Amino acid sequence: MLSERGYDALTFEAVASEVGCNRATIYRRHASKAELVASVLRETLLSFAPAIDEETAPRDALHALVDTAVAYLSDARPAAILHIASLARRSPEVAEILDIHLTSTEPYYIRQFRRLAPNADIENLQFVTHTLLGSVVYHLTFRPIRLTPQQIDALVDRAIAMLPVGSDDRP
């Protein structure tokens, strides 16, 4: 709905009509449009979360995370994310939604990169994470192409190569 109509045209009435409930139900759960959109983004993202245990090799875990991002950014979601990103430049409320959404995925990637480079500082781990995710988003949203498993491997391997040298755990 967001990708079709845009944030400004998104109303509680339209959402209620789309999901088959009354407007009051939506208002009881969400105090504002921003809160509604943030909630939908969060719940959608959580529904795609891969099961990764501590026994999973970090490279395999990163590949699973990118697979999840690929699945998440299918259908209409890329257009909605692009719309939100564009609107965030002029709306602090929307910028906050986008920031919360993006930072909610970051710890999963950082955890795996930290396993590969335990001595790396957080800024470096964030940069590597953002570079990997930026590449994925670029290919799925701007190109748009479906990434193959081999392309995902290449992106993950290049991100791993960006980690600082000197860790005993670095492949």
Side-chain angles (χ1 to χ4, degrees):
M1 193 175 197
L2 183 62
S3 63
E4 295 168 6
R5 300 180 189 167
Y7 184 82
D8 293 332
L10 187 69
T11 65
F12 279 68
E13 294 82 11
V15 172
S17 175
E18 184 79 20
V19 298
C21 69
N22 68 40
R23 190 175 63 187
T25 302
I26 306 288
Y27 278 115
R28 273 197 298 274
R29 297 190 72 198
H30 309 284
S32 68
K33 180 170 40 173
E35 188 179 303
L36 170 65
V37 170
S39 176
V40 168
L41 289 173
R42 181 179 54 254
E43 293 304 316
T44 304
L45 186 63
L46 289 174
S47 73
F48 282 89
I52 298 173
D53 60 38
E54 290 302 314
E55 300 300 316
T56 304
R59 182 182 181 274
D60 295 338
L62 288 163
H63 190 110
L65 289 165
V66 172
D67 280 341
T68 299
V70 168
Y72 178 73
L73 290 171
S74 62
D75 302 324
R77 277 183 285 286
I81 298 294
L82 280 177
H83 181 79
I84 291 170
S86 174
L87 187 57
R89 302 183 112 208
R90 61 183 189 276
S91 168
E93 179 182 58
V94 176
E96 184 178 350
I97 293 169
L98 184 61
D99 187 54
I100 290 167
H101 183 62
L102 295 175
T103 57
S104 68
T105 62
E106 191 177 90
Y108 298 105
Y109 291 85
I110 288 176
R111 185 176 305 118
Q112 301 310 319
F113 286 127
R114 171 78 64 209
R115 290 174 63 200
L116 292 166
N119 298 322
D121 61 39
I122 190 64
E123 290 82 16
N124 189 282
L125 296 174
Q126 288 172 324
F127 178 77
V128 172
T129 296
H130 298 164
T131 301
L132 175 58
L133 289 173
S135 297
V136 171
V137 169
Y138 171 79
H139 287 294
L140 297 174
T141 305
F142 294 105
R143 299 261 319 146
I145 64 167
R146 185 76 169 172
L147 292 170
T148 67
Q150 295 79 18
Q151 290 169 324
I152 292 171
D153 282 342
L155 290 173
V156 167
D157 289 342
R158 285 182 177 92
I160 291 170
M162 293 174 64
L163 293 170
V165 179
S167 166
D168 294 339
D169 298 330
R170 172 104 185 270

